[in-house]
Amino acid sequence: MKIVMAVIKPFKLEEVRDALTSLGVHGLTVTEVKGYGRQKGHTEIYRGAEYAVSFLPKLKIEVAVPTEIVPKVIEGITLAARTGQIGDGKIFVVPLEKAVRIRTGEADADAL
């Protein structure tokens, strides 16, 4: 089992969720985060004053999936989240030792 974490632009959430659902991934966790990278932020004008915004709003999506479908999940997220612009995001894959469904006590792949 693996945890696939993707940091994406907020307006791409619905497309990514639909892509994951079509792959049979029905549970995900979404966290609002801020990121700084090659995009290096931008400037905004508020009440006539210019402000530099270094950390841009992003969403972090986390899904626990069986190891066998990780390549398809990565491809699905990539195709759904890509705009072709700097700041589209990143995907990280991390090993998952154990998963337990609290309600039923199911473990590992059965808990996903």
Side-chain angles (χ1 to χ4, degrees), residues 1 3 64 95-100 105-109 111-112:
M1 295 180 302
I3 292 182
L96 176 61
E97 286 186 34
K98 188 160 190 73
V100 177
E106 294 170 300
D108 300 326
L112 301 181

Side-chain angles (χ1 to χ4, degrees), residues 28-45:
L28 57 99
T29 302
V30 178
T31 310
E32 292 181 2
V33 297
K34 293 187 178 199
Y36 178 84
R38 291 185 183 166
Q39 201 170 1
K40 304 230 186 312
H42 63 277
T43 57
E44 291 184 358
I45 298 175

Side-chain angles (χ1 to χ4, degrees), residues 63-80:
V63 292
V65 297
T67 304
E68 307 82 56
I69 69 166
V70 168
K72 287 182 181 180
V73 169
I74 291 172
E75 181 182 18
I77 294 171
T78 301
L79 292 175

Side-chain angles (χ1 to χ4, degrees), residues 2 4 7-8 10 22-23 25 39 55 71 78 83-84 90 105 110:
K2 304 280 186 185
V4 179
V7 179
I8 64 168
S22 72
L23 293 171
V25 178
Q39 201 170 1
F55 292 92
T78 301
T83 66
K90 296 242 182 350
D110 293 334

